[in-house]
Amino acid sequence: MATIKDVAQAAGVAPSTVSYVLSGSRKISAETRAAVQAAVEELGYHPNAGARSLRSTRTDVLALALPLSGTGYLPVGGRFMYGLSEAAGRHGYLVLLVTPPGAGDAGAGLERAARSRFADAAVLMGVEMEDPRVAAMRVLDFPVALIGHPADESAAPWTDLDWEESALASVRALRDAGHRRVLYLATVEEDVDTRRTYSVRGIRGAERAAAEAATHVDVCHSSGDPAELYRRLDARFDAADPPTALAVQHPAAIPGILRHLAARGIQVPRDVSLVAVGSFPEDLGGLDVTRIELPVAEMSAAVTRLAAEAVEAAGDPGRSGGPSARHRLIPPRMIRGSTVAPAP
Amino acid sequence: MATIKDVAQAAGVAPSTVSYVLSGSRKISAETRAAVQAAVEELGYHPNAGARSLRSTRTDVLALALPLSGTGYLPVGGRFMYGLSEAAGRHGYLVLLVTPPGAGDAGAGLERAARSRFADAAVLMGVEMEDPRVAAMRVLDFPVALIGHPADESAAPWTDLDWEESALASVRALRDAGHRRVLYLATVEEDVDTRRTYSVRGIRGAERAAAEAATHVDVCHSSGDPAELYRRLDARFDAADPPTALAVQHPAAIPGILRHLAARGIQVPRDVSLVAVGSFPEDLGGLDVTRIELPVAEMSAAVTRLAAEAVEAAGDPGRSGGPSARHRLIPPRMIRGSTVAPAP
DNA sequence: CTGAAAGCGCTTACAG
DNA sequence: CTGAAAGCGCTTACAG
């Protein structure tokens, strides 16, 4: 593989000059620059990543800390990996996947990635309200940006869909259609239990909706086990006062829910209205569901920008006064489908 | 961040001794080793990745070349990212995502990753029958392993589900249930057109099934646009001799297909039987579909092993005689669900 | 069984 | 406008 020396020799200049041409951090005569660029092209030269990072302490890599799999949001993980890889690429970053450790200690793989300087910053997925990884990275003085809206908004830069407003808007849309008994199906309970930000904030929004209006909102946790989920639904629909509408923050379950309800003779939207909270079109099996979509591309772009800023800030001296805690909270956008009808 | 010098100082030994303790490539007295390990622990030392790779030409990173998104297999990408990250982790590797370039030149991002030595080897997804990335990486002498069964089986090490046998087995299962007119719904046509290995081989299997037996097999390409897909289905079901069974290699479309057929009064399995070729349970919206599952964990483990071997081989001298072209072709395993019934 | 030293390929003050 | 030189943090022959 060609090194900077090879390029320098081919161009008839010093290695340092090649470096300056490539970084653009010094004025170079047009002649010299052209010669160097020709040599670079000719030799297919790309600077060695290890040498560059050793010297400059920049790797041009973002570590993406994956959430534990096995939750109801598995498909989401894949979307963010794609989305972040693309957004990061536009900023000149590559994305390194960091799988969560088997047990206990939050951020073992992440900590290794940080301490070994595999990356310049970490992007955290599956963020919890009080996420231990944030503190762990702060100790290491390692920049982070979160996909998730943590309890302490100034703990680290973050971006998220406004799940609280999303849940609220979903219930309101059903209320405005005349529904007075709404079942809010939250995320799977593992996510609730670990206090994932989207779980907690979605439920919070549902509870706010319950408090504000003439609509009764029953909050029920979903389950990764369809049979268990259907039992919970049945309990509600067997009750004296069954819901007339559903807001569902577990979009992957929606096709199955519709099938289960249909088997009970319950049609959407004839008998029950439905809104999906934070979904992709693909989650819905081609159904034209009224929904709030998860803006993955926008969130990926935002978190990349925040991470890049955090990297810059870590280099600067003016940063010592604590994290700047910029964030981007994305308001919900409702997409009207055909699953909301006036209450019977 | 602690360096090897800090550890050496704390342990009262030379830096080289620390290195030897960590690599295990030299006999070290128990005393010395204990002192070094204590210092490593104490300081939370992790060797700098850049320095290590600069010196040893090992990065402990695998580059995962992503397929273009937007195909019918988007969810699959996410599964492999998770699966590979986990499998790679067990072999001591981290996974770096490499997004395909916007246009033309196959492997620009990949080529950069290879030339800059961001990784020790590349794992290719979305492999085409004659994949230009394989040749590109060979020129660079960069090890690869493929998730996909290429035309030239000895071009590079690879693993794949045996899609040809999978399609064959699916049609045979339907034939054995008495079906004589089977519609094979292949992958989305973009994948067929780019000659993705799973597309081509799935169709090949369907055609073999057509040739071998008293069953008529109609091969139809799927579409990422549901409306278009349903038009194609309608054309078949409106024909004089409509199919009595479907084998579907586009699992994400199955919930929608069932809904569309139901709207036409066609019930599964009463009127039409169905087999899914290469799916995940989640693709199927909780339906108990008779299917051949895509063994992501097994494939991830296999491709990791192949990549690791390719890295070793690249270091060895005995390798110059061309690629060893090991592979692992995984036979289909049929999971019986409730969507296959005797032919009417 | 352990250490001193060279050098991997860069970047960036220092010098002119 | 350009170059010679130091050094980032490791690994690994070389030496004892």
Side-chain angles (χ1 to χ4, degrees):
Chain A
M1 207 101 319
T3 72
I4 198 168
K5 274 190 185 168
D6 301 322
V7 175
Q9 194 155 29
V13 298
S16 55
T17 300
V18 175
S19 178
Y20 284 119
V21 169
L22 261 45
S23 71
S25 65
R26 190 193 246 189
K27 280 220 149 51
I28 302 281
S29 75
E31 250 182 315
T32 305
R33 186 179 21 251
V36 168
Q37 275 162 350
V40 164
E41 209 70 24
E42 168 73 24
L43 298 170
Y45 170 72
H46 286 250
N48 180 287
R52 185 211 272 270
S53 83
L54 175 58
R55 194 50 239 238
S56 68
T57 65
R58 281 295 181 87
T59 61
D60 295 338
V61 170
L62 296 180
L64 177 62
L66 300 180
L68 298 147
S69 57
T71 74
Y73 272 88
L74 182 62
V76 174
R79 304 299 290 251
F80 274 110
M81 292 186 233
Y82 270 111
L84 187 72
S85 181
E86 204 177 275
R90 283 197 298 270
H91 286 249
Y93 284 102
L94 289 165
V95 172
L96 187 72
L97 300 182
V98 180
T99 311
D105 56 352
L110 184 57
E111 182 154 341
R112 178 185 163 222
R115 290 197 116 110
S116 288
R117 295 279 152 187
F118 272 100
D120 297 328
V123 170
L124 309 189
M125 285 188 64
V127 174
E128 299 166 12
M129 291 299 286
E130 298 83 14
D131 199 300
R133 296 173 295 181
V134 174
M137 292 302 103
R138 192 202 302 287
V139 168
L140 299 180
D141 208 24
F142 196 72
V144 294
L146 318 183
I147 301 177
H149 178 172
D152 178 359
E153 297 192 330
S154 64
W158 56 269
T159 186
D160 208 354
L161 170 65
D162 192 336
W163 290 98
E164 190 166 338
E165 288 296 328
S166 297
L168 194 57
S170 300
V171 175
R172 279 186 189 148
L174 294 166
R175 184 195 64 202
D176 293 348
H179 295 275
R180 293 292 166 262
R181 293 186 309 283
V182 173
L183 176 59
Y184 188 86
L185 188 67
T187 64
V188 299
E189 53 203 348
E190 289 87 338
D191 287 357
V192 180
D193 293 344
T194 54
R195 294 181 47 78
R196 297 286 174 95
T197 59
Y198 46 83
S199 293
V200 170
R201 297 198 182 272
I203 290 169
R204 209 170 275 178
E207 285 167 350
R208 260 178 66 196
E212 84 176 4
T215 294
H216 180 256
V217 181
D218 183 15
V219 173
C220 168
H221 300 172
S222 189
S223 171
D225 172 20
E228 174 59 24
L229 168 54
Y230 302 153
R231 269 196 292 280
R232 293 181 195 176
L233 287 178
D234 286 343
R236 268 69 180 189
F237 281 95
D238 289 336
D241 246 22
T244 65
L246 291 172
V248 178
Q249 205 193 329
H250 182 188
I254 286 179
I257 290 172
L258 292 190
R259 203 168 317 107
H260 180 74
L261 292 179
R264 291 187 50 135
I266 300 171
Q267 297 284 339
V268 171
R270 190 193 65 189
D271 308 306
V272 164
S273 288
L274 176 79
V275 177
V277 185
S279 66
F280 308 117
E282 304 86 279
D283 288 332
L284 304 171
L287 286 162
D288 180 30
V289 175
T290 298
R291 66 189 186 274
I292 290 165
E293 254 180 57
L294 186 60
V296 173
E298 194 177 346
M299 290 168 71
S300 298
V303 81
T304 300
R305 208 175 328 109
L306 292 167
E309 287 172 6
V311 171
E312 299 300 331
D316 281 8
R319 185 196 92 111
S320 9
S324 59
R326 294 228 312 139
H327 62 255
R328 168 140 178 68
L329 185 60
I330 301 170
R333 239 172 30 86
M334 176 90 65
I335 298 169
R336 307 252 159 220
S338 57
T339 54
V340 174
Chain B
M1 207 100 321
T3 72
I4 198 168
K5 274 191 186 169
D6 300 323
V7 175
Q9 196 154 29
V13 299
S16 55
T17 301
V18 175
S19 178
Y20 284 119
V21 169
L22 261 45
S23 71
S25 64
R26 189 193 247 189
K27 281 220 149 51
I28 301 283
S29 75
E31 250 182 315
T32 304
R33 185 178 21 251
V36 168
Q37 275 161 349
V40 164
E41 209 70 24
E42 167 73 26
L43 298 171
Y45 170 72
H46 287 249
N48 179 287
R52 185 210 274 269
S53 82
L54 175 57
R55 193 51 238 238
S56 68
T57 65
R58 281 297 181 84
T59 61
D60 294 339
V61 170
L62 296 180
L64 177 61
L66 300 181
L68 297 147
S69 58
T71 74
Y73 272 88
L74 182 61
V76 173
R79 304 299 290 252
F80 274 111
M81 292 187 233
Y82 269 112
L84 187 71
S85 181
E86 203 177 276
R90 283 197 298 270
H91 286 249
Y93 284 102
L94 289 166
V95 171
L96 188 72
L97 300 183
V98 179
T99 312
D105 56 352
L110 183 57
E111 182 154 341
R112 178 184 163 224
R115 290 197 116 109
S116 287
R117 294 280 152 186
F118 272 100
D120 297 329
V123 170
L124 309 189
M125 285 188 63
V127 173
E128 299 166 13
M129 291 300 286
E130 297 83 14
D131 199 300
R133 297 173 295 181
V134 174
M137 292 301 103
R138 192 203 302 288
V139 168
L140 299 180
D141 208 25
F142 196 73
V144 294
L146 318 184
I147 301 176
H149 178 171
D152 178 359
E153 299 193 330
S154 63
W158 55 270
T159 187
D160 207 354
L161 170 64
D162 192 335
W163 289 98
E164 190 167 337
E165 288 296 328
S166 297
L168 196 57
S170 300
V171 176
R172 278 186 189 148
L174 293 166
R175 185 196 62 202
D176 292 350
H179 295 275
R180 294 291 166 262
R181 295 186 307 283
V182 173
L183 176 59
Y184 189 85
L185 189 67
T187 65
V188 298
E189 53 201 349
E190 290 87 339
D191 287 358
V192 180
D193 293 345
T194 53
R195 295 181 48 77
R196 298 284 175 96
T197 59
Y198 47 82
S199 292
V200 171
R201 297 198 182 272
I203 290 170
R204 209 170 275 180
E207 284 168 351
R208 260 177 67 196
E212 84 176 5
T215 294
H216 181 255
V217 181
D218 184 17
V219 174
C220 167
H221 299 174
S222 189
S223 171
D225 172 20
E228 173 58 24
L229 168 54
Y230 301 154
R231 269 195 292 280
R232 294 181 194 176
L233 288 178
D234 285 344
R236 267 70 180 188
F237 281 96
D238 288 337
D241 246 21
T244 65
L246 292 171
V248 179
Q249 206 192 328
H250 183 188
I254 286 179
I257 290 172
L258 292 190
R259 202 168 319 106
H260 180 74
L261 293 179
R264 291 186 51 134
I266 301 171
Q267 297 284 340
V268 171
R270 191 194 64 189
D271 310 305
V272 165
S273 288
L274 176 79
V275 177
V277 186
S279 66
F280 308 118
E282 304 86 279
D283 288 333
L284 304 170
L287 286 161
D288 180 29
V289 175
T290 298
R291 67 190 185 274
I292 290 165
E293 254 180 58
L294 186 61
V296 173
E298 194 176 347
M299 290 168 71
S300 298
V303 81
T304 300
R305 208 175 328 109
L306 292 166
E309 286 172 7
V311 172
E312 298 302 330
D316 280 8
R319 186 197 90 111
S320 10
S324 59
R326 295 228 311 140
H327 62 255
R328 168 141 178 69
L329 184 59
I330 300 169
R333 240 172 29 88
M334 176 88 66
I335 298 169
R336 308 252 159 220
S338 57
T339 54
V340 174

